[in-house]
Amino acid sequence: PPPGWVSIGRVGPTESLSLTFALRQQNLQQLQKLVQDVSDPGSPRYVGGLHRFPRASSLQQRPGPKLDLEESLSLHMGVTPAVIRERYNLTAQDVGSGSPNNSQACAQFLEQYFHDADLEEFMKLFGKSFPHKNSVSRVVGQQGHGRAGLEASLDVQYLMSAGANISTWVYSSPGRHESQEPFLQWLLLLSNESSLPLVHTVSYGDDEDSLSTAYLHRVNSELMKAAARGLTLLFASGDSGAGCFSGPKGHLFRPSFPASSPYVTTVGGTSFRNPFMVTEEIVDYISGGGFSNIFPRPQYQDEAVSHFLGSSTHLPPSSYYNASGRAYPDVAALSDGYWVVSNHVPIPWVSGTSASTPVFGGLLSLVNEQRLLNGRPPLGFLNPRLYSMQGRGLFDVTQGCHEACLDEEVQGQGFCSKPGWDPVTGWGTPNYPALLKALLDP
Ligand SMILES: *[C@@H]1O[C@H](CO)[C@@H](O)[C@H](O)[C@H]1NC(C)=O
Ligand SMILES: *[C@@H]1O[C@H](CO)[C@@H](O)[C@H](O)[C@H]1NC(C)=O
């Protein structure tokens, strides 16, 4: 078993176990070429396990910092939609205007359900300053009737207040697949539908090393298909920094999947420099980031990653990571100190890249709205365009490092942010008016 797991004996003969059988995909190189063509803004075309172990949910409530009462004028008491909209320069007019073909979705797993009543209460408390919807347009799959989950509540509430007044769907894939998220099941559901939301956010992930290589490649092929269809898929980068794997040969950083897929846009996390004020952002030390051990570095990020590796003065020892792998995250947003309403209770200090991901996704839906109004196709797979923008439209996050192995060699520190792209906060956080400008043309 992987580190931290102990075999406690044979499984009883009556225990049931679900297995996945999937057909090996053919002609993937042609698909790869198609994704390149449809996602490159310069291109003239637009087409329209048995060995896996669960990972505990990483979304957490961190204790808030102590408030210095002398500073208590013009302070906020945690991140709310108003704080998000202020920091990212959204006006009350930056909302969906009812474009019929625009919609967004978040995917829920691990028996996480949202409650309509929580969304209503959240909007009553925090949605006064901007037009928004008070209910989800469609739930695909089964919504259980149990207690609301914090993750599901957070995703729905922030997707719908960043991508405000945009029709929102929730994909609900309950049940476990070999004890983890049934990502493949969800992706096959998407592949089976002809008309579906343009932007999907997913705040779930697993350690790459906990999944079989065959499964990783099979899920990656589905992600590639979604990119070829022009869908924008965002994944949280994870909440353990560079992560840590304690193997027989010592420590390694531990990448997260699907964050490490080259066909998704991965979102890291930041904090305000002053936690109680709307200030510039610094690294949130939990922000997941690093290099895939499975997927090689895609061409679109070659220059950015080479530049980072070539110009960093404090890189961790090279034995800890695979410098030639797909590097992530691609972008970031605030991930620290959110208010969420769950089971009728407003809960403060909810933190994680689970929060930054729906926020970034909602903003991309607002960009799609403007693109559609201007007769342009939706953004589709963002990364080739994003890397060609070289940080235009984003606030560069240049201060702070994320966490990693607590050993003598790296002493708890993974990578550090610096000007330009870095594997902690990607290209940075959205400055909406500038991002819209950069993403409107061509
Ligand atoms: C919000 O969306 C609805 C359609 O769902 C539209 O009729 C309304 O005008 C939009 N509100 C704003 C302020 O654009
Ligand atoms: C795919 O869609 C068809 C038609 O709606 C439905 O009958 C079928 O069950 C779906 N398959 C999956 C795997 O969702």
Side-chain angles (χ1 to χ4, degrees), residues 92-93 95-99 131-133 164-167:
Q93 285 76 49
V95 299
S97 56
S99 185
H132 56 264
K133 299 207 182 302
N165 205 37
I166 288 177
S167 166

Side-chain angles (χ1 to χ4, degrees), residues 49 51-52 178 208-217 294:
H51 54 292
R52 300 203 275 139
E178 293 171 28
E208 241 184 18
D209 61 85
S210 73
L211 302 161
S212 75
T213 312
Y215 182 82
L216 288 167
H217 283 290
I294 303 290

Side-chain angles (χ1 to χ4, degrees), residues 63-71 75 77 274-276 349:
K66 292 223 167 54
L67 181 58
D68 180 350
L69 283 177
E70 285 180 13
E71 285 187 355
L75 301 179
M77 294 300 291
N274 178 332
F276 294 104
W349 304 115

Side-chain angles (χ1 to χ4, degrees), residues 84-267:
I84 294 278
R85 296 180 76 86
E86 180 183 343
R87 168 59 186 161
Y88 297 140
N89 290 322
L90 291 150
T91 69
Q93 285 76 49
D94 293 316
V95 299
S97 56
S99 185
N101 294 326
N102 197 15
S103 57
Q104 57 188 1
C106 62
Q108 299 303 326
F109 300 95
L110 310 183
E111 294 83 41
Q112 283 270 339
Y113 308 114
F114 76 98
H115 286 177
D116 291 310
D118 288 339
L119 177 61
E120 263 174 61
E121 187 179 331
F122 178 84
M123 289 302 186
K124 218 176 274 170
L125 285 172
F126 302 117
K128 287 198 190 76
S129 61
F130 57 96
H132 56 264
K133 299 207 182 302
N134 284 318
S135 59
V136 163
S137 306
R138 195 172 151 196
V139 176
V140 183
Q142 291 162 24
Q143 259 271 102
H145 295 290
R147 284 171 61 77
L150 190 57
E151 178 69 70
S153 309
L154 168 74
D155 291 358
V156 169
Q157 288 161 22
Y158 281 88
L159 184 61
M160 292 182 70
S161 44
N165 205 37
I166 288 177
S167 166
T168 303
W169 298 20
V170 175
Y171 281 81
S172 185
S173 304
R176 306 284 163 126
H177 193 82
E178 293 171 28
S179 15
Q180 301 198 99
E181 300 87 347
F183 287 127
L184 193 53
Q185 199 178 306
W186 164 68
L187 284 162
L188 293 176
L189 200 64
L190 296 192
S191 292
N192 196 34
E193 281 180 65
S194 53
S195 163
L196 70 177
L198 302 173
V199 172
H200 297 255
T201 76
V202 186
S203 294
Y204 297 78
D206 299 312
D207 296 328
E208 241 184 18
D209 61 85
S210 73
L211 302 161
S212 75
T213 312
Y215 182 82
L216 288 167
H217 283 290
R218 189 64 182 77
V219 171
N220 193 51
S221 300
E222 290 305 315
L223 296 170
M224 204 193 304
K225 289 182 198 171
R229 292 178 72 184
L231 301 179
T232 306
L233 264 50
L234 283 85
F235 281 81
S237 70
D239 297 341
S240 314
C244 191
F245 177 88
S246 312
K249 291 187 209 141
H251 290 153
L252 296 172
F253 292 161
R254 189 168 214 177
S256 168
F257 180 81
S260 68
S261 164
Y263 295 103
V264 305
T265 298
T266 302
V267 186

